[in-house]
Amino acid sequence: MIVTIDGPAGSGKSTVARLLAERLGFRFLDSGALYRCVTLAAIERGVPLSDGAALGRLATGLRIAFGEGKTVLLDGVDVTTEIRSERVSTNVSEVASKAEVRSALTGLQRRCAEGADLVCEGRDMGTVIFPLADVKVYLDAAPQTRAERRRLELSARGEDVSVDVLVARMKERDRLDSSRETAPLRRADDQILVDTSGLTIDEVVDRLSGLVPPGR
Ligand code: DC
């Protein structure tokens, strides 16, 4: 059983998908963390973010692993906080737009579904990585709501950025993610649209778990 949850930044995907996986007892894949790891590695190693071939080679050679809870390990180092920093967030769209990077990460993502039920979240989970998934969801929310969520997330980590700046950055990231040639962010006809704007996290998780056939 594979449940895919796609949608833009701040739609609530990560939180909701993680809780849904817990509730169902499924494995969980945060695919954005993979693109964030490649971005962090590229920045730190001085790989030009415009060089798709070099980024693809870099991505192929990285060891990315998920540890306990939300922990993400990059070549054995805990990068959980670092991959969520604004320095990574503002550059990740460019890295994720490279076909070489996307293909380098495809096998890794598909292997997550081997021998386990899976809830995964990202931008192309239902369209490209798992087109035959059992349940496909597209989560969305108003830009203002999404920016406010992001502001709270950053401020909890001591990074203070205004909502206006975040709305602008979010729109720019949406534009880049939706207009890129390879695996653009888009809602496919077979994805169930859930707008999370006026909903609490629990309400969204309830709604999504209602979409998963019982007894699985
Ligand atoms: O979900 P997130 O904010 O952690 O994703 C970070 C970036 O990675 C986002 O700008 C788009 C990209 N991404 C992608 O292109 N495909 C995915 N499946 C997941 C994320």
Side-chain angles (χ1 to χ4, degrees), residues 9-210:
S11 58
K13 275 184 325 256
S14 312
T15 311
V16 160
R18 194 177 293 278
L19 289 171
L20 181 67
E22 248 169 52
R23 190 185 286 190
L24 298 172
F26 287 14
R27 191 180 282 169
F28 171 65
L29 167 66
D30 166 6
S31 64
L34 305 178
Y35 292 95
R36 288 174 179 276
C37 281
V38 178
T39 306
L40 176 62
I43 294 170
E44 287 188 338
R45 299 175 198 188
V47 176
L49 303 186
S50 55
D51 188 342
L55 290 170
R57 283 194 298 276
L58 173 70
T60 306
L62 296 177
R63 277 187 304 119
I64 304 172
F66 294 96
E68 282 299 301
K70 294 184 180 180
T71 312
V72 182
L73 301 172
L74 174 57
D75 289 336
V77 177
D78 185 342
V79 292
T80 316
T81 306
E82 191 55 34
I83 59 168
R84 307 270 157 218
S85 64
E86 276 300 284
R87 123 180 131 121
V88 170
S89 297
T90 47
N91 288 300
V92 63
S93 286
E94 182 170 8
V95 172
S97 73
K98 303 290 184 274
E100 296 92 334
V101 173
R102 306 200 71 85
S103 80
L105 296 177
T106 298
L108 175 60
Q109 295 175 79
R110 293 201 174 135
R111 281 196 295 282
C112 290
E114 285 172 8
D117 294 316
L118 180 73
V119 173
C120 54
E121 59 101 343
R123 304 295 190 288
D124 61 344
M125 297 295 100
T127 49
V128 176
I129 305 295
F130 299 113
L132 301 178
D134 305 85
V135 179
K136 298 186 189 183
V137 177
Y138 189 92
L139 282 194
D140 210 349
Q144 195 72 24
T145 310
R146 292 163 47 210
E148 179 56 29
R149 287 176 182 160
R150 179 84 185 134
R151 191 189 66 74
L152 290 173
E153 209 179 282
L154 287 172
S155 125
R157 290 211 308 266
E159 282 187 61
D160 286 314
V161 187
S162 78
V163 172
D164 289 350
V165 167
L166 289 171
V167 167
R169 280 190 200 163
M170 205 149 258
K171 286 186 174 166
E172 177 59 7
R173 189 133 71 99
D174 286 353
R175 192 186 65 73
L176 292 171
D177 290 343
S178 319
S179 63
R180 69 181 176 218
E181 273 177 33
T182 314
L185 170 68
R186 64 174 175 89
R187 185 184 154 227
D189 291 342
D190 62 354
Q191 286 173 322
I192 301 161
L193 175 65
V194 177
D195 189 324
T196 67
S197 297
L199 301 177
T200 65
I201 290 166
D202 282 346
E203 286 169 336
V204 181
V205 177
D206 285 347
R207 195 170 291 190
L208 298 196
S209 60

